[in-house]
Amino acid sequence: MTISRRQFVSTLAGASAASLASPGLSFAQGSGPIRVGLLAAKTGPLASGGIDMELALTMFLKDRDNTLAGRKVELIVADTAGVPATARTKTQELVEKNNVHCIIGPLAAFEALAIIDYLTEKEIPTLGVSAAEDMTQRHPSPWYVRLTSTSAQCTYPLADYSLKELKYKKIVTIADDFAYGHEMCAGFQRAFEDGGGKIIQKIFTPLATPDYGSYVAQVKTDADALFLGTAGSNGFRFLRQFIEYGLKDKIAVIGGMTALDESVLRNMGDEALGIITTSWYSATLDNPLNKAFAPAFRKQFKYDPGYYAASTYLSGQVLEGALKTIKANAEDKKALMAAIRGNNVDTIRGLVKFDEFGNVIGNVYIRKVTRSDGRLVNSVIKTYPDVSQFWTYDKKEFLKNPVYSRDYPPAKNLEL
Amino acid sequence: MKWIAIALFAAVALLLPFFAGDFYVNLASQIYIAAIFALSLNLLVGFGGMTSLGHASYLGVAAYVSALMTTRYGLHHGAAALISILGTVAMAAFFGLIALRATGLGFLMITLALSQVLWGLAYRMSNITNGDNGITGITRPEPFGISLESPAAFYWFALITAVIAFVMMTVFVSSSFGSSLKGVRDQPRRMAALGFNPWMVRWITFVYAGFWGAISGLLYVYYNKYIHPTSLSTTSSAEALLGVIAGGSGTLAGPAVGAALVLLLKNYVSAYVERWNMLLGLVFLFIVLVMPEGIVPGLQKLAARLRRRSS
């Protein structure tokens, strides 16, 4: 990708010199390509997700001959390194130096939070991937939409499924000790306890935990199931130790949208079989668009696309839909944003709609790890259609409460 | 010749916003902030012989305090800045009491430990610091009613502050106190025998370095309008130390050059080279092998050698 980036820079040297002198310069429609910025962490601890984001979006554009709605598209990828201050500088580079028309990404909540004020000020349509609840709740931005899910959005259906189909009564949650983990567990806990279940223990582990042994030993074995709210490779590492301690036969495991992501699953063996997770996507989704995407991705890169790859491909589809509506006039940013929000686009995850806060209303899938063609896959066992970030709760009441955190909503059923 | 170069540099620095795009102006503002931070660290590392791996504490705490005071308690920017500086300096005074019980490696480990404590607090006290989500909604101050929202206005604000910081720190190390500091660095026993109090000299320097760390922290938070625990992390401290050593510790201009180098590699070169971390390592390796004293002393030596050869 470095090369294409360099080529892009050299071909645009003249134009960027002009834009250097007058940064506000905007091109008339058709006089240049649509410039799309991708913010992805390609170095640092979040790199594997960031690289998948780039691969999938590049593939999306390549399949369309780098043309959306009849106009050429230039993709400019910036590496945020998973650091908020760097994310901000890189965003400024995309906006001020490269004059992008819209931005896809970034991945981590703290990266998105670091740049959202700036993007709102500069009025750049942003198709977000990160999950921080408040970005589409108490502090929404007119220039930000999220196409994936909030931290908790996918856990509500799982809580419902755990109560009604799996008949679980007592659950232990374990998650990474940062905002994403807190929000996810809080959402799961709320829906699970409102339905009559009990969260008897909540464990939060540091993001970089070299050894899960001491945490595994803490797990209360009288629970019906363990909810795994980890991100990245942590789920895989936790589970390995969980099995070594012989707990797998005692407690069932269920997980959030990143716990057994396809990118984690490819490193696992039979120990993962039967684990139930929830997500807005699965590589095995049976719709025509995903049937075109997932096998092609697999053919090219030798593994199934997961959360991160799907997120940018999905962004590409939503962007394409909006560009068709406004006849590729990406210079009219207000119209572009209105089209993004107003369109109901059919995508690899199913139909995508937005609520008034810019958050997606879409299908959430309950998935079970099975073996198919010799590899582990997340096969869909139940679909919850059109899940909103507010689940079945009243929107106004929901927003009156504080944002989900480590301590909110309070866990009343903990067993000491 | 030297004066022409300096005048040229000053003219470019002063007039940059008139010919460069916003992105480059912002990049330059960040360089000034990183330079102030590296210069303050250099007081400890270069002139005091106290290698610290926890200098980000001062930047981070000042930034956090200012952010909390303005967003949570609705304080005016002036008052918030004052509280933030006073608080950070008080913290530096206290940390100095702990860290200066040791020298050398012990000192390094204590500063590292203290900064890790603060980093951990920023992460875990999420009811105050908002934890991993960081603090958003921060505004920039308006000194004398001038808005700093535009990149150019902020650039000049950062430039003025950086110049003041550079002059103040130059005065500090060139003064007789600065001489005693260098004396304590090289010959602590002899200095003690001469009637100086080496501990006190070190402590005052430690607090003064904390003060300028706080100033860079304020600029940092005004610039980013966002603060996150990563700015308190060891990486943040280590990057500054890398800049100081690469540029030339114990010289006046070296840390500023080194900080600029690290920042440009991180934020500018990374757009063209995917493995910029590796490049940073290679550049550092090159400096250590070819110019072990740092870029600025290395270049000075090179220039002197060329002059001798030509004369």
Side-chain angles (χ1 to χ4, degrees), chain B residues 9 12-14 16 25-39 154-163 165 216 219 259-260 263:
Chain B
F9 181 75
V12 169
L14 209 60
L16 188 79
V25 174
N26 279 326
L27 208 57
S29 301
Q30 283 177 278
I31 289 179
Y32 293 139
I33 300 169
I36 300 174
F37 186 56
L39 283 167
F154 189 83
Y155 171 84
W156 281 309
F157 179 68
L159 177 65
I160 293 167
T161 319
V163 169
S216 66
L219 283 178
L263 199 112

PDB file of all heavy atoms in Angstrom, chain B residues 9 12-14 16 25-39 154-163 165 216 219 259-260 263:
ATOM      1  N   PHE B   9      16.566  31.693   9.782  1.00  0.00           N
ATOM      2  CA  PHE B   9      15.731  30.750  10.507  1.00  0.00           C
ATOM      3  C   PHE B   9      14.604  31.472  11.237  1.00  0.00           C
ATOM      4  O   PHE B   9      13.445  31.065  11.208  1.00  0.00           O
ATOM      5  CB  PHE B   9      16.603  29.965  11.495  1.00  0.00           C
ATOM      6  CG  PHE B   9      15.850  28.943  12.279  1.00  0.00           C
ATOM      7  CD1 PHE B   9      15.456  27.750  11.680  1.00  0.00           C
ATOM      8  CD2 PHE B   9      15.507  29.168  13.606  1.00  0.00           C
ATOM      9  CE1 PHE B   9      14.752  26.809  12.395  1.00  0.00           C
ATOM     10  CE2 PHE B   9      14.797  28.229  14.320  1.00  0.00           C
ATOM     11  CZ  PHE B   9      14.417  27.037  13.713  1.00  0.00           C
ATOM     12  N   VAL B  12      11.945  32.650   8.765  1.00  0.00           N
ATOM     13  CA  VAL B  12      11.095  31.537   8.332  1.00  0.00           C
ATOM     14  C   VAL B  12      10.118  31.171   9.437  1.00  0.00           C
ATOM     15  O   VAL B  12       8.916  31.007   9.212  1.00  0.00           O
ATOM     16  CB  VAL B  12      11.960  30.312   7.938  1.00  0.00           C
ATOM     17  CG1 VAL B  12      11.083  29.077   7.744  1.00  0.00           C
ATOM     18  CG2 VAL B  12      12.730  30.609   6.667  1.00  0.00           C
ATOM     19  N   ALA B  13      10.631  31.082  10.673  1.00  0.00           N
ATOM     20  CA  ALA B  13       9.789  30.694  11.806  1.00  0.00           C
ATOM     21  C   ALA B  13       8.655  31.699  12.003  1.00  0.00           C
ATOM     22  O   ALA B  13       7.523  31.328  12.268  1.00  0.00           O
ATOM     23  CB  ALA B  13      10.627  30.587  13.073  1.00  0.00           C
ATOM     24  N   LEU B  14       8.984  32.966  11.844  1.00  0.00           N
ATOM     25  CA  LEU B  14       8.010  34.021  12.101  1.00  0.00           C
ATOM     26  C   LEU B  14       6.937  34.081  11.013  1.00  0.00           C
ATOM     27  O   LEU B  14       5.766  34.307  11.285  1.00  0.00           O
ATOM     28  CB  LEU B  14       8.747  35.363  12.191  1.00  0.00           C
ATOM     29  CG  LEU B  14       8.121  36.423  13.082  1.00  0.00           C
ATOM     30  CD1 LEU B  14       8.034  35.918  14.503  1.00  0.00           C
ATOM     31  CD2 LEU B  14       8.941  37.695  13.015  1.00  0.00           C
ATOM     32  N   LEU B  16       6.129  31.668   8.743  1.00  0.00           N
ATOM     33  CA  LEU B  16       5.666  30.378   8.236  1.00  0.00           C
ATOM     34  C   LEU B  16       4.186  30.347   7.848  1.00  0.00           C
ATOM     35  O   LEU B  16       3.838  29.892   6.764  1.00  0.00           O
ATOM     36  CB  LEU B  16       5.984  29.270   9.257  1.00  0.00           C
ATOM     37  CG  LEU B  16       5.728  27.855   8.786  1.00  0.00           C
ATOM     38  CD1 LEU B  16       6.862  27.381   7.887  1.00  0.00           C
ATOM     39  CD2 LEU B  16       5.590  26.904   9.956  1.00  0.00           C
ATOM     40  N   VAL B  25       1.687  24.239   9.291  1.00  0.00           N
ATOM     41  CA  VAL B  25       1.671  25.172  10.424  1.00  0.00           C
ATOM     42  C   VAL B  25       1.382  24.408  11.713  1.00  0.00           C
ATOM     43  O   VAL B  25       2.040  24.586  12.739  1.00  0.00           O
ATOM     44  CB  VAL B  25       0.635  26.290  10.188  1.00  0.00           C
ATOM     45  CG1 VAL B  25       0.499  27.165  11.412  1.00  0.00           C
ATOM     46  CG2 VAL B  25       1.021  27.119   8.981  1.00  0.00           C
ATOM     47  N   ASN B  26       0.398  23.513  11.648  1.00  0.00           N
ATOM     48  CA  ASN B  26       0.069  22.714  12.823  1.00  0.00           C
ATOM     49  C   ASN B  26       1.221  21.808  13.229  1.00  0.00           C
ATOM     50  O   ASN B  26       1.493  21.614  14.411  1.00  0.00           O
ATOM     51  CB  ASN B  26      -1.180  21.868  12.545  1.00  0.00           C
ATOM     52  CG  ASN B  26      -2.453  22.670  12.707  1.00  0.00           C
ATOM     53  OD1 ASN B  26      -2.526  23.558  13.548  1.00  0.00           O
ATOM     54  ND2 ASN B  26      -3.443  22.384  11.892  1.00  0.00           N
ATOM     55  N   LEU B  27       1.888  21.257  12.227  1.00  0.00           N
ATOM     56  CA  LEU B  27       3.028  20.388  12.507  1.00  0.00           C
ATOM     57  C   LEU B  27       4.114  21.182  13.239  1.00  0.00           C
ATOM     58  O   LEU B  27       4.711  20.710  14.212  1.00  0.00           O
ATOM     59  CB  LEU B  27       3.564  19.830  11.189  1.00  0.00           C
ATOM     60  CG  LEU B  27       4.260  18.478  11.228  1.00  0.00           C
ATOM     61  CD1 LEU B  27       3.344  17.418  11.798  1.00  0.00           C
ATOM     62  CD2 LEU B  27       4.673  18.080   9.812  1.00  0.00           C
ATOM     63  N   ALA B  28       4.329  22.420  12.775  1.00  0.00           N
ATOM     64  CA  ALA B  28       5.346  23.263  13.400  1.00  0.00           C
ATOM     65  C   ALA B  28       4.951  23.607  14.835  1.00  0.00           C
ATOM     66  O   ALA B  28       5.799  23.601  15.742  1.00  0.00           O
ATOM     67  CB  ALA B  28       5.533  24.537  12.576  1.00  0.00           C
ATOM     68  N   SER B  29       3.653  23.877  15.063  1.00  0.00           N
ATOM     69  CA  SER B  29       3.193  24.156  16.429  1.00  0.00           C
ATOM     70  C   SER B  29       3.522  22.972  17.334  1.00  0.00           C
ATOM     71  O   SER B  29       3.983  23.139  18.464  1.00  0.00           O
ATOM     72  CB  SER B  29       1.687  24.389  16.463  1.00  0.00           C
ATOM     73  OG  SER B  29       1.340  25.457  15.639  1.00  0.00           O
ATOM     74  N   GLN B  30       3.283  21.767  16.819  1.00  0.00           N
ATOM     75  CA  GLN B  30       3.553  20.574  17.620  1.00  0.00           C
ATOM     76  C   GLN B  30       5.038  20.433  17.908  1.00  0.00           C
ATOM     77  O   GLN B  30       5.430  19.973  18.976  1.00  0.00           O
ATOM     78  CB  GLN B  30       3.047  19.333  16.888  1.00  0.00           C
ATOM     79  CG  GLN B  30       1.555  19.176  16.982  1.00  0.00           C
ATOM     80  CD  GLN B  30       1.096  17.984  16.177  1.00  0.00           C
ATOM     81  OE1 GLN B  30       0.930  18.055  14.976  1.00  0.00           O
ATOM     82  NE2 GLN B  30       0.919  16.859  16.830  1.00  0.00           N
ATOM     83  N   ILE B  31       5.853  20.835  16.935  1.00  0.00           N
ATOM     84  CA  ILE B  31       7.304  20.762  17.147  1.00  0.00           C
ATOM     85  C   ILE B  31       7.694  21.685  18.302  1.00  0.00           C
ATOM     86  O   ILE B  31       8.490  21.311  19.166  1.00  0.00           O
ATOM     87  CB  ILE B  31       8.060  21.133  15.857  1.00  0.00           C
ATOM     88  CG1 ILE B  31       7.886  20.010  14.833  1.00  0.00           C
ATOM     89  CG2 ILE B  31       9.546  21.370  16.146  1.00  0.00           C
ATOM     90  CD1 ILE B  31       8.561  20.256  13.517  1.00  0.00           C
ATOM     91  N   TYR B  32       7.107  22.892  18.349  1.00  0.00           N
ATOM     92  CA  TYR B  32       7.444  23.814  19.436  1.00  0.00           C
ATOM     93  C   TYR B  32       7.062  23.215  20.790  1.00  0.00           C
ATOM     94  O   TYR B  32       7.795  23.322  21.766  1.00  0.00           O
ATOM     95  CB  TYR B  32       6.745  25.165  19.243  1.00  0.00           C
ATOM     96  CG  TYR B  32       7.252  25.921  18.038  1.00  0.00           C
ATOM     97  CD1 TYR B  32       6.391  26.602  17.194  1.00  0.00           C
ATOM     98  CD2 TYR B  32       8.615  25.931  17.727  1.00  0.00           C
ATOM     99  CE1 TYR B  32       6.848  27.266  16.079  1.00  0.00           C
ATOM    100  CE2 TYR B  32       9.084  26.592  16.612  1.00  0.00           C
ATOM    101  CZ  TYR B  32       8.198  27.258  15.790  1.00  0.00           C
ATOM    102  OH  TYR B  32       8.672  27.908  14.683  1.00  0.00           O
ATOM    103  N   ILE B  33       5.884  22.588  20.832  1.00  0.00           N
ATOM    104  CA  ILE B  33       5.435  22.002  22.095  1.00  0.00           C
ATOM    105  C   ILE B  33       6.401  20.889  22.522  1.00  0.00           C
ATOM    106  O   ILE B  33       6.860  20.841  23.664  1.00  0.00           O
ATOM    107  CB  ILE B  33       3.996  21.449  21.959  1.00  0.00           C
ATOM    108  CG1 ILE B  33       3.041  22.581  21.578  1.00  0.00           C
ATOM    109  CG2 ILE B  33       3.559  20.790  23.251  1.00  0.00           C
ATOM    110  CD1 ILE B  33       1.666  22.108  21.160  1.00  0.00           C
ATOM    111  N   ALA B  34       6.738  20.017  21.564  1.00  0.00           N
ATOM    112  CA  ALA B  34       7.662  18.917  21.860  1.00  0.00           C
ATOM    113  C   ALA B  34       9.032  19.468  22.248  1.00  0.00           C
ATOM    114  O   ALA B  34       9.725  18.904  23.101  1.00  0.00           O
ATOM    115  CB  ALA B  34       7.772  17.996  20.653  1.00  0.00           C
ATOM    116  N   ALA B  35       9.423  20.590  21.634  1.00  0.00           N
ATOM    117  CA  ALA B  35      10.732  21.169  21.929  1.00  0.00           C
ATOM    118  C   ALA B  35      10.781  21.699  23.364  1.00  0.00           C
ATOM    119  O   ALA B  35      11.761  21.474  24.080  1.00  0.00           O
ATOM    120  CB  ALA B  35      11.045  22.284  20.935  1.00  0.00           C
ATOM    121  N   ILE B  36       9.719  22.400  23.794  1.00  0.00           N
ATOM    122  CA  ILE B  36       9.699  22.898  25.181  1.00  0.00           C
ATOM    123  C   ILE B  36       9.806  21.728  26.150  1.00  0.00           C
ATOM    124  O   ILE B  36      10.557  21.752  27.127  1.00  0.00           O
ATOM    125  CB  ILE B  36       8.404  23.697  25.476  1.00  0.00           C
ATOM    126  CG1 ILE B  36       8.278  24.888  24.548  1.00  0.00           C
ATOM    127  CG2 ILE B  36       8.366  24.155  26.935  1.00  0.00           C
ATOM    128  CD1 ILE B  36       6.972  25.645  24.683  1.00  0.00           C
ATOM    129  N   PHE B  37       9.050  20.677  25.835  1.00  0.00           N
ATOM    130  CA  PHE B  37       9.050  19.500  26.691  1.00  0.00           C
ATOM    131  C   PHE B  37      10.445  18.869  26.746  1.00  0.00           C
ATOM    132  O   PHE B  37      10.968  18.565  27.829  1.00  0.00           O
ATOM    133  CB  PHE B  37       8.018  18.505  26.150  1.00  0.00           C
ATOM    134  CG  PHE B  37       7.816  17.301  27.012  1.00  0.00           C
ATOM    135  CD1 PHE B  37       7.458  17.442  28.339  1.00  0.00           C
ATOM    136  CD2 PHE B  37       7.972  16.027  26.493  1.00  0.00           C
ATOM    137  CE1 PHE B  37       7.268  16.330  29.136  1.00  0.00           C
ATOM    138  CE2 PHE B  37       7.783  14.910  27.281  1.00  0.00           C
ATOM    139  CZ  PHE B  37       7.433  15.065  28.610  1.00  0.00           C
ATOM    140  N   ALA B  38      11.084  18.724  25.597  1.00  0.00           N
ATOM    141  CA  ALA B  38      12.413  18.115  25.552  1.00  0.00           C
ATOM    142  C   ALA B  38      13.442  19.009  26.246  1.00  0.00           C
ATOM    143  O   ALA B  38      14.331  18.516  26.951  1.00  0.00           O
ATOM    144  CB  ALA B  38      12.823  17.872  24.100  1.00  0.00           C
ATOM    145  N   LEU B  39      13.313  20.330  26.058  1.00  0.00           N
ATOM    146  CA  LEU B  39      14.252  21.249  26.720  1.00  0.00           C
ATOM    147  C   LEU B  39      14.161  21.117  28.237  1.00  0.00           C
ATOM    148  O   LEU B  39      15.184  21.113  28.936  1.00  0.00           O
ATOM    149  CB  LEU B  39      13.951  22.690  26.301  1.00  0.00           C
ATOM    150  CG  LEU B  39      14.425  23.097  24.905  1.00  0.00           C
ATOM    151  CD1 LEU B  39      13.800  24.419  24.505  1.00  0.00           C
ATOM    152  CD2 LEU B  39      15.947  23.204  24.870  1.00  0.00           C
ATOM    153  N   PHE B 154      -2.574  30.012  16.732  1.00  0.00           N
ATOM    154  CA  PHE B 154      -1.998  29.098  17.713  1.00  0.00           C
ATOM    155  C   PHE B 154      -0.501  28.937  17.487  1.00  0.00           C
ATOM    156  O   PHE B 154       0.283  28.833  18.428  1.00  0.00           O
ATOM    157  CB  PHE B 154      -2.691  27.733  17.671  1.00  0.00           C
ATOM    158  CG  PHE B 154      -2.276  26.849  18.811  1.00  0.00           C
ATOM    159  CD1 PHE B 154      -2.883  26.977  20.045  1.00  0.00           C
ATOM    160  CD2 PHE B 154      -1.234  25.943  18.673  1.00  0.00           C
ATOM    161  CE1 PHE B 154      -2.478  26.203  21.115  1.00  0.00           C
ATOM    162  CE2 PHE B 154      -0.824  25.165  19.741  1.00  0.00           C
ATOM    163  CZ  PHE B 154      -1.450  25.302  20.963  1.00  0.00           C
ATOM    164  N   TYR B 155      -0.111  28.955  16.220  1.00  0.00           N
ATOM    165  CA  TYR B 155       1.298  28.816  15.877  1.00  0.00           C
ATOM    166  C   TYR B 155       2.124  29.923  16.532  1.00  0.00           C
ATOM    167  O   TYR B 155       3.147  29.671  17.154  1.00  0.00           O
ATOM    168  CB  TYR B 155       1.464  28.841  14.359  1.00  0.00           C
ATOM    169  CG  TYR B 155       2.902  28.912  13.914  1.00  0.00           C
ATOM    170  CD1 TYR B 155       3.660  27.749  13.804  1.00  0.00           C
ATOM    171  CD2 TYR B 155       3.512  30.122  13.629  1.00  0.00           C
ATOM    172  CE1 TYR B 155       4.976  27.798  13.421  1.00  0.00           C
ATOM    173  CE2 TYR B 155       4.834  30.182  13.241  1.00  0.00           C
ATOM    174  CZ  TYR B 155       5.564  29.021  13.141  1.00  0.00           C
ATOM    175  OH  TYR B 155       6.875  29.067  12.776  1.00  0.00           O
ATOM    176  N   TRP B 156       1.653  31.168  16.392  1.00  0.00           N
ATOM    177  CA  TRP B 156       2.419  32.273  16.969  1.00  0.00           C
ATOM    178  C   TRP B 156       2.432  32.203  18.495  1.00  0.00           C
ATOM    179  O   TRP B 156       3.422  32.531  19.130  1.00  0.00           O
ATOM    180  CB  TRP B 156       1.879  33.618  16.465  1.00  0.00           C
ATOM    181  CG  TRP B 156       2.371  33.929  15.085  1.00  0.00           C
ATOM    182  CD1 TRP B 156       3.679  33.886  14.667  1.00  0.00           C
ATOM    183  CD2 TRP B 156       1.603  34.278  13.940  1.00  0.00           C
ATOM    184  NE1 TRP B 156       3.758  34.198  13.337  1.00  0.00           N
ATOM    185  CE2 TRP B 156       2.497  34.449  12.861  1.00  0.00           C
ATOM    186  CE3 TRP B 156       0.242  34.482  13.717  1.00  0.00           C
ATOM    187  CZ2 TRP B 156       2.091  34.808  11.581  1.00  0.00           C
ATOM    188  CZ3 TRP B 156      -0.172  34.838  12.455  1.00  0.00           C
ATOM    189  CH2 TRP B 156       0.743  34.997  11.391  1.00  0.00           C
ATOM    190  N   PHE B 157       1.301  31.788  19.052  1.00  0.00           N
ATOM    191  CA  PHE B 157       1.223  31.613  20.503  1.00  0.00           C
ATOM    192  C   PHE B 157       2.268  30.582  20.963  1.00  0.00           C
ATOM    193  O   PHE B 157       3.029  30.826  21.910  1.00  0.00           O
ATOM    194  CB  PHE B 157      -0.203  31.147  20.861  1.00  0.00           C
ATOM    195  CG  PHE B 157      -0.419  30.892  22.329  1.00  0.00           C
ATOM    196  CD1 PHE B 157      -0.414  31.923  23.243  1.00  0.00           C
ATOM    197  CD2 PHE B 157      -0.650  29.595  22.783  1.00  0.00           C
ATOM    198  CE1 PHE B 157      -0.625  31.686  24.585  1.00  0.00           C
ATOM    199  CE2 PHE B 157      -0.861  29.342  24.122  1.00  0.00           C
ATOM    200  CZ  PHE B 157      -0.850  30.393  25.032  1.00  0.00           C
ATOM    201  N   ALA B 158       2.338  29.464  20.241  1.00  0.00           N
ATOM    202  CA  ALA B 158       3.298  28.411  20.594  1.00  0.00           C
ATOM    203  C   ALA B 158       4.728  28.907  20.372  1.00  0.00           C
ATOM    204  O   ALA B 158       5.630  28.633  21.170  1.00  0.00           O
ATOM    205  CB  ALA B 158       3.034  27.156  19.771  1.00  0.00           C
ATOM    206  N   LEU B 159       4.916  29.658  19.281  1.00  0.00           N
ATOM    207  CA  LEU B 159       6.257  30.177  18.969  1.00  0.00           C
ATOM    208  C   LEU B 159       6.744  31.112  20.076  1.00  0.00           C
ATOM    209  O   LEU B 159       7.868  30.983  20.578  1.00  0.00           O
ATOM    210  CB  LEU B 159       6.230  30.915  17.627  1.00  0.00           C
ATOM    211  CG  LEU B 159       7.542  31.567  17.190  1.00  0.00           C
ATOM    212  CD1 LEU B 159       8.604  30.506  16.943  1.00  0.00           C
ATOM    213  CD2 LEU B 159       7.338  32.399  15.936  1.00  0.00           C
ATOM    214  N   ILE B 160       5.875  32.055  20.483  1.00  0.00           N
ATOM    215  CA  ILE B 160       6.253  32.998  21.538  1.00  0.00           C
ATOM    216  C   ILE B 160       6.596  32.240  22.821  1.00  0.00           C
ATOM    217  O   ILE B 160       7.631  32.480  23.453  1.00  0.00           O
ATOM    218  CB  ILE B 160       5.108  34.016  21.786  1.00  0.00           C
ATOM    219  CG1 ILE B 160       4.938  34.917  20.565  1.00  0.00           C
ATOM    220  CG2 ILE B 160       5.381  34.849  23.036  1.00  0.00           C
ATOM    221  CD1 ILE B 160       3.666  35.734  20.570  1.00  0.00           C
ATOM    222  N   THR B 161       5.719  31.290  23.185  1.00  0.00           N
ATOM    223  CA  THR B 161       5.970  30.523  24.405  1.00  0.00           C
ATOM    224  C   THR B 161       7.286  29.761  24.300  1.00  0.00           C
ATOM    225  O   THR B 161       8.067  29.716  25.254  1.00  0.00           O
ATOM    226  CB  THR B 161       4.820  29.524  24.666  1.00  0.00           C
ATOM    227  OG1 THR B 161       3.591  30.171  24.383  1.00  0.00           O
ATOM    228  CG2 THR B 161       4.824  29.042  26.093  1.00  0.00           C
ATOM    229  N   ALA B 162       7.537  29.176  23.134  1.00  0.00           N
ATOM    230  CA  ALA B 162       8.766  28.396  22.958  1.00  0.00           C
ATOM    231  C   ALA B 162       9.995  29.288  23.072  1.00  0.00           C
ATOM    232  O   ALA B 162      11.004  28.897  23.674  1.00  0.00           O
ATOM    233  CB  ALA B 162       8.745  27.685  21.611  1.00  0.00           C
ATOM    234  N   VAL B 163       9.905  30.489  22.500  1.00  0.00           N
ATOM    235  CA  VAL B 163      11.052  31.403  22.576  1.00  0.00           C
ATOM    236  C   VAL B 163      11.307  31.801  24.034  1.00  0.00           C
ATOM    237  O   VAL B 163      12.439  31.764  24.513  1.00  0.00           O
ATOM    238  CB  VAL B 163      10.812  32.650  21.692  1.00  0.00           C
ATOM    239  CG1 VAL B 163      11.854  33.721  21.981  1.00  0.00           C
ATOM    240  CG2 VAL B 163      10.850  32.259  20.221  1.00  0.00           C
ATOM    241  N   ALA B 165      10.466  30.129  26.651  1.00  0.00           N
ATOM    242  CA  ALA B 165      10.962  28.947  27.357  1.00  0.00           C
ATOM    243  C   ALA B 165      12.443  28.746  27.068  1.00  0.00           C
ATOM    244  O   ALA B 165      13.241  28.472  27.988  1.00  0.00           O
ATOM    245  CB  ALA B 165      10.167  27.711  26.927  1.00  0.00           C
ATOM    246  N   SER B 216       4.542  22.991  28.765  1.00  0.00           N
ATOM    247  CA  SER B 216       4.354  22.239  27.521  1.00  0.00           C
ATOM    248  C   SER B 216       3.061  21.436  27.581  1.00  0.00           C
ATOM    249  O   SER B 216       2.387  21.263  26.564  1.00  0.00           O
ATOM    250  CB  SER B 216       5.554  21.329  27.252  1.00  0.00           C
ATOM    251  OG  SER B 216       5.632  20.326  28.234  1.00  0.00           O
ATOM    252  N   LEU B 219       0.184  23.733  26.631  1.00  0.00           N
ATOM    253  CA  LEU B 219       0.149  23.925  25.177  1.00  0.00           C
ATOM    254  C   LEU B 219      -0.382  22.668  24.490  1.00  0.00           C
ATOM    255  O   LEU B 219      -1.161  22.731  23.541  1.00  0.00           O
ATOM    256  CB  LEU B 219       1.560  24.227  24.648  1.00  0.00           C
ATOM    257  CG  LEU B 219       2.094  25.637  24.874  1.00  0.00           C
ATOM    258  CD1 LEU B 219       3.503  25.744  24.328  1.00  0.00           C
ATOM    259  CD2 LEU B 219       1.201  26.663  24.211  1.00  0.00           C
ATOM    260  N   ALA B 259      13.744  16.683  19.331  1.00  0.00           N
ATOM    261  CA  ALA B 259      12.289  16.576  19.460  1.00  0.00           C
ATOM    262  C   ALA B 259      11.626  16.760  18.104  1.00  0.00           C
ATOM    263  O   ALA B 259      10.683  16.046  17.756  1.00  0.00           O
ATOM    264  CB  ALA B 259      11.769  17.617  20.446  1.00  0.00           C
ATOM    265  N   ALA B 260      12.153  17.717  17.328  1.00  0.00           N
ATOM    266  CA  ALA B 260      11.599  17.955  15.994  1.00  0.00           C
ATOM    267  C   ALA B 260      11.783  16.719  15.119  1.00  0.00           C
ATOM    268  O   ALA B 260      10.882  16.320  14.382  1.00  0.00           O
ATOM    269  CB  ALA B 260      12.273  19.167  15.348  1.00  0.00           C
ATOM    270  N   LEU B 263       9.309  13.965  16.163  1.00  0.00           N
ATOM    271  CA  LEU B 263       7.952  14.338  15.796  1.00  0.00           C
ATOM    272  C   LEU B 263       7.721  14.225  14.284  1.00  0.00           C
ATOM    273  O   LEU B 263       6.684  13.750  13.832  1.00  0.00           O
ATOM    274  CB  LEU B 263       7.666  15.767  16.257  1.00  0.00           C
ATOM    275  CG  LEU B 263       6.174  16.038  16.328  1.00  0.00           C
ATOM    276  CD1 LEU B 263       5.749  16.213  17.754  1.00  0.00           C
ATOM    277  CD2 LEU B 263       5.791  17.219  15.494  1.00  0.00           C
TER     278      LEU B 263
END
